[in-house]
Amino acid sequence: MMQSGLPQCNTCGEPVGLDSNGNVFVACLECNYPVCKACVDYEIKEGKKACFRCAAPYEDNVTYDEGGVEASGSHKNKTTHLTNEQDLGLHARNMSTISTADSELNSESGSSIWKHRVESWRERKDKKKKNVKESKVSKEVEQVPLEQQMEEHQFSEAAAQPLSRIIPIPRTKITSYRIMIIVRLIILALFFHYRLTNPVDSAFGLWLTSVICEIWFAFSWILDQFPKWQPINRETFIDQLSLRYEREGEPSQLAAVDFFVSTVDPLKEPPLITANTVLSILAVDYPVDKVSCYVSDDGAAMLTFESLAETSEFARKWVPFCKKYEIEPRAPEFYFSQKIDYLRDKVQPSFVKERRAMKRDYEEYKVKMNALVAKAQKTPDEGWTMADGTPWPGNNSRDHPGMIQVFLGNTGSPDIEGNELPRLVYVSREKRPGFQHHKKAGAENALIRVSAVLTNAPYILNLDCDHYVNNSKAVREAMCFLMDPVVGQDVCYVQFPQRFDGIDKSDRYANRNVVFFDVNMKGLDGIQGPVYVGTGCVFNRQALYGYGPPSLPSLSKSSSSSCCCCPSKKKEEKDVSELNRDSKREDLESAIFNLKELNNYDEYDRSMLISQTSFEKTFGLSTVFIESTLMENGGVPDSANSPTLIKEAIHVISCGYEEKTAWGKEIGWIYGSITEDILTGFKMQCRGWRSIYCMPLRPCFKGSAPINLSDRLHQVLRWALGSVEIFFSRHCPLWYGFGAGRLKLLQRLAYINTIVYPFTSLPLVAYCTLPAICLLTGKFIIPTLSNLASVLFLGLFTSIILVSVLELRWSGVGIEDLWRNEQFWVIGGVSAHLFAVFQGLLKMLAGLDTNFTVTSKSADDTEFGELYVFKWTTLLIPPTTLIILNIVGVVAGFSDALNNGYDSWGPLFGKVFFSFWVILHLYPFLKGLMGKQNRTPTIVVLWSVLLASVFSLVWVKIDPFVSKVDSKSIAQSCISIDC
């Protein structure tokens, strides 16, 4: 029988009991460690007569007889002190004081006492669990009928089936592909041997420039090609997931998921788009109590707050409608705009009537949202006020307190059928002048902490505000990997491909990125997993906290206790050297903590370990949050109440919370680049984690992409600038993470490729200029071809074509997608990537920070209307100049051939082919300049013609690559003229 008011034994969990005098039993008068009589008696019989905690011998304080354990002396002076400390939990604000005392005790006793105490506790706990389990099983076998036992056995066998499988690429496809890569590599080596041994003396500068560019292109090709050496496909079994974790008549055992949606400016990211994303999340096919949606408003806009309030009301109608009729997708804007037969597979007569009513309700909801947007266009002089008349706290978006509002969930309204809805939480972190807020990465880290305090789901799914859930079973797809006890053990995240709506069929500017998502990412999945691309990703929360994977080996520790066998001196020296090497790893390349070492500790043990590993310096001064980081399976303590949690949640999003912690450095989303996604995934995989690429037949998430030329180039500029920032940071894959040795070589090549590709713009601009120069000067970068040289060039072009064809064969990508990708590689390379390199250098060398514009998201109903919208940007000048130069060069080349006769036509074709190669790759850009409704801005034409003219005049004046003719030969030629 439990005795109320008594502390619990830290070994067996039972009350410590009373001594013979009626006082609380105290085993050790030195540290008052709560242990019951039975456990102390057992330890003494085992020959362990020292306190678990402080190692003080029991003989000094307690006398024993054969009958058991009896305390000598008075315990009254210690009983009160123990009672005050019996509630040592991680919720206490004075945890740092307790931790300091524990640290002193451990420093005196050494690690052997800690190890001795934990091992003793584990042995007894395992023995107790084993006995209880055996007795329970025996009783169940006696009571359960034989037929039911057989059914349960069959059920358990079915539930034990794998949740996913790897589908390798057929050997006939992948073997020929690999052979062709090797052949192309050999031909490249022979080609460069020929190029270097056969210079063009008459145009040495042109030849040298072209060779340098070609060597860099070959290096870039190697970085891009070899990570695709071992591509794989995967298949999931959602039915098996339900069979294993959702047994009929029992609560669902599926893991909870916290959704993160981030937005900044509602005038650039329309609230209706964000609302559709939120509605699709609330209606996912997943247990309601396992889903929570957190919306981060980093602009503290009242428009976003009010739009979420309207969305929460509409969700009460929309969510039950989606689940009743199993509609797809569950974002109303995109569901009602589908041009398909919506009656297909629908058998309920009430569907048509309810669909019409729901569409009418959604149109009324849209009108309300549009009214909110129209109202927000002009801010009142006195600022915004809420419905109750109080000023809106976020009137100054750069100086406001933290705000949290729970719209739906445990405290919110149920749906119209009376069922509970998923939790919907509005979050706007505190912002003050003088603090660095780190843009999107800082907002995501604030959501990590808020969600950990309020719901603490073990998995996190983050989405951009314009990426809605297109497949209601998306979460189940991810859980087939993350909840698989074999596959999911070392998985830090499951990445889904990005798919987009509203893109023209020809995909003029390669917005779909099909080659990257359907080729490169499959290749990485066969190595150590895909890179994190910023959205559509399900994270293991423990990986974001800097913990290593469960398979991470623990560092060996020398024990101070004596052992029966003495190792040899040579072996001991080797162990010491390995230990020193591991301990000197830079930048915490392994893991901050190994969660495997924390799993089996009770609450008091964890509080001591928190002291040892300095959790507060890592995670910040929040004991509630620190406790949540130790809960591998998630969840919130039962003793917590909502007001306390909300107060703590406000605390963890304060602007000064991250100061002097590891946030953004080693845990959470990593700071230091505007492309924080690459850094975050890179850090995880350096710690030994792997990732999974999931590609269901129905895309799980869809978003909107900037389809006009200017917005697309600015988007690419932002990505490239982030890569340049990583290149100049301490996290550069060229040198970071080698000490731990957990990042595979091909995976490192892939990450190197993600940071060096912007620098390809420099040789690319030079190479695209060479054809025009050759046509204007009459020189060429290649000497007269011999038979061997012709074979080499033919073999090189053939190998390039064959590798591309074989890649299309195993990946299923179309040839048009490949060609669009090649075209935009050139367009982006000579514009956005070029500017990113110079902006990155200015930022690193001169400290000049550059701001990027948030890509506008179009909510226009006109199909592909945004494709022809033209916006002025300086990024348009370099490619326009290259097009004009090459067109002028082609005209000049043909004019020269007409004047010089038949012999000049042969060399002309090689130069013209080279120039046409540039023009064809820039053709989508030229088409974008012309537009459909608007003409090219005059300033673009003027600047481009001016630059081309100036360059041509300077070239004629300097002419460095043309061989000089002396004046004597000119005079002799003049004399020989017969007048």
Side-chain angles (χ1 to χ4, degrees), residues 775-806:
L775 288 168
L776 291 172
T777 60
K779 305 297 179 181
F780 201 39
I781 58 176
I782 300 174
T784 304
L785 294 179
S786 61
N787 292 334
L788 177 61
S790 301
V791 172
L792 279 177
F793 275 92
L794 182 62
L796 180 62
F797 288 124
T798 304
S799 65
I800 292 173
I801 295 172
L802 287 178
V803 168
S804 300
V805 169
L806 293 174

Side-chain angles (χ1 to χ4, degrees), residues 485-670:
V486 178
V487 178
Q489 190 176 19
D490 295 338
V491 176
C492 55
Y493 59 81
V494 175
Q495 178 66 61
F496 293 89
Q498 292 186 18
R499 302 298 188 220
F500 301 98
D501 287 320
I503 298 177
D504 58 305
K505 294 181 180 180
S506 63
D507 193 13
R508 182 186 296 177
Y509 306 122
N511 284 280
R512 293 191 179 95
N513 282 330
V514 176
V515 174
F516 175 75
F517 287 112
D518 290 15
V519 180
N520 296 64
M521 297 286 266
K522 285 183 179 180
L524 292 176
D525 198 20
I527 307 171
Q528 200 172 340
V531 298
Y532 168 44
V533 296
T535 184
C537 186
V538 185
F539 285 97
N540 183 336
R541 187 184 284 268
Q542 299 298 326
L544 284 169
Y545 288 157
Y547 292 112
S551 63
L552 183 70
S554 302
L555 296 179
S556 57
K557 297 180 181 179
S558 58
S559 177
S560 59
S561 60
S562 60
C563 57
C564 58
C565 57
C566 297
S568 63
K569 185 176 181 181
K570 182 177 181 181
K571 178 68 176 178
E572 185 178 353
E573 291 177 354
K574 182 179 179 181
D575 292 341
V576 171
S577 63
E578 290 180 355
L579 183 61
N580 290 336
R581 180 196 64 188
D582 291 338
S583 64
K584 292 180 179 179
R585 289 172 182 161
E586 297 178 357
D587 301 318
L588 294 175
E589 289 161 357
S590 53
I592 297 179
F593 309 112
N594 191 346
L595 191 63
K596 186 173 62 175
E597 298 175 355
L598 305 175
N599 285 342
N600 297 323
Y601 296 166
D602 62 6
E603 188 173 342
Y604 191 82
D605 292 334
R606 291 189 180 195
S607 68
M608 293 187 67
L609 199 58
I610 286 173
S611 166
Q612 291 190 344
T613 52
S614 302
F615 274 37
E616 288 184 347
K617 293 181 179 179
T618 302
F619 295 112
L621 298 174
S622 172
T623 53
V624 177
F625 175 73
I626 291 175
E627 181 186 10
S628 72
T629 66
L630 300 176
M631 302 171 70
E632 185 178 6
N633 296 322
V636 179
D638 297 333
S639 60
N641 55 72
S642 297
T644 303
L645 293 181
I646 292 293
K647 184 177 180 180
E648 193 69 21
I650 291 291
H651 168 63
V652 298
I653 61 172
S654 59
C655 55
Y657 183 83
E658 294 184 354
E659 287 191 350
K660 298 181 180 179
T661 65
W663 284 103
K665 304 180 185 70
E666 302 298 337
I667 61 176
W669 269 258
I670 306 301

Side-chain angles (χ1 to χ4, degrees), residues 687-841:
R687 294 186 180 116
W689 293 94
R690 65 158 292 123
S691 55
I692 296 290
Y693 195 52
C694 183
M695 285 186 62
L697 293 178
R698 180 179 179 85
C700 287
F701 306 100
K702 280 190 174 183
S704 59
I707 61 175
N708 70 77
L709 181 60
S710 302
D711 284 346
R712 174 65 168 148
L713 289 179
H714 272 286
Q715 183 188 56
V716 175
L717 171 64
R718 184 175 68 89
W719 294 342
L721 181 58
S723 296
V724 174
E725 289 174 345
I726 298 174
F727 181 85
F728 290 108
S729 72
R730 71 183 184 93
H731 292 116
C732 179
L734 288 171
W735 51 75
Y736 182 85
F738 277 103
R742 297 192 177 99
L743 191 68
K744 296 182 179 180
L745 176 61
L746 292 181
Q747 192 79 13
R748 185 175 294 279
L749 288 181
Y751 275 110
I752 292 174
N753 187 43
T754 62
I755 63 160
V756 302
Y757 78 89
F759 296 95
T760 306
S761 60
L762 299 174
L764 187 60
V765 170
Y767 210 70
C768 290
T769 310
L770 288 177
I773 296 175
C774 293
L775 288 168
L776 291 172
T777 60
K779 305 297 179 181
F780 201 39
I781 58 176
I782 300 174
T784 304
L785 294 179
S786 61
N787 292 334
L788 177 61
S790 301
V791 172
L792 279 177
F793 275 92
L794 182 62
L796 180 62
F797 288 124
T798 304
S799 65
I800 292 173
I801 295 172
L802 287 178
V803 168
S804 300
V805 169
L806 293 174
E807 192 169 272
L808 298 179
R809 187 173 171 226
W810 66 255
S811 65
V813 175
I815 190 170
E816 184 178 4
D817 293 319
L818 180 67
W819 173 237
R820 291 300 185 201
N821 184 75
E822 290 294 322
Q823 285 182 313
F824 198 78
W825 175 74
V826 176
I827 294 172
V830 299
S831 56
H833 298 172
L834 182 66
F835 277 77
V837 171
F838 287 109
Q839 288 184 11
L841 290 172

Side-chain angles (χ1 to χ4, degrees), residues 134 159 310 340 354 365 376 459 468 509 530 560 746 754 757 793 937 971:
E134 289 177 354
E310 291 290 343
I340 61 172
E354 291 195 26
Y365 164 74
Y459 301 106
Y468 65 91
Y509 306 122
S560 59
L746 292 181
T754 62
Y757 78 89
F793 275 92

